[in-house]
Amino acid sequence: MILRGAIQDFGEKPLTLPELRARFEQAALETDVARFFGLRVHVVELAQREASFTLPLDAPPTGVELDPRHRLLIWTEDYGAKPTE
């Protein structure tokens, strides 16, 4: 179903790996399908402004991303200059 939808949506246009990856992750939010793409998602509940925690790893991390599924409104440089209050 995921691939069929991607084929219908993209038709003759190129489909990038990040776009395909996002579709698979969105279709299976509660599973570990992200590991297929080399991404591991660890949910960390934060109750304070600062916190320390240890994550289980089977290999050295190559990066850390806050909110990889973009569920929070977080300002990034992609949006341009940070607004002033």
Side-chain angles (χ1 to χ4, degrees):
M1 192 68 151
I2 296 168
L3 290 176
R4 185 175 296 141
I7 291 169
Q8 290 172 349
D9 292 348
F10 286 87
E12 303 272 329
K13 298 181 286 186
L15 173 65
T16 66
L17 183 57
E19 291 165 332
L20 183 60
R21 171 183 174 171
R23 284 181 178 251
F24 271 97
E25 289 179 1
Q26 186 64 33
L29 289 176
E30 302 308 320
T31 66
D32 203 13
V33 73
R35 288 192 67 193
F36 175 78
F37 293 101
L39 174 69
R40 270 222 150 132
V41 177
H42 295 278
V43 177
V44 178
E45 299 289 334
L46 300 175
Q48 300 172 333
R49 183 180 178 127
E50 294 182 18
S52 296
F53 48 88
T54 302
L55 301 174
L57 301 173
D58 54 2
T62 58
V64 175
E65 184 177 340
L66 179 64
D67 190 30
R69 294 185 178 129
H70 307 290
R71 293 181 177 172
L72 303 174
L73 180 57
I74 298 175
W75 192 267
T76 67
E77 293 178 3
D78 296 336
Y79 299 127
K82 195 172 188 177
T84 57
E85 294 184 34

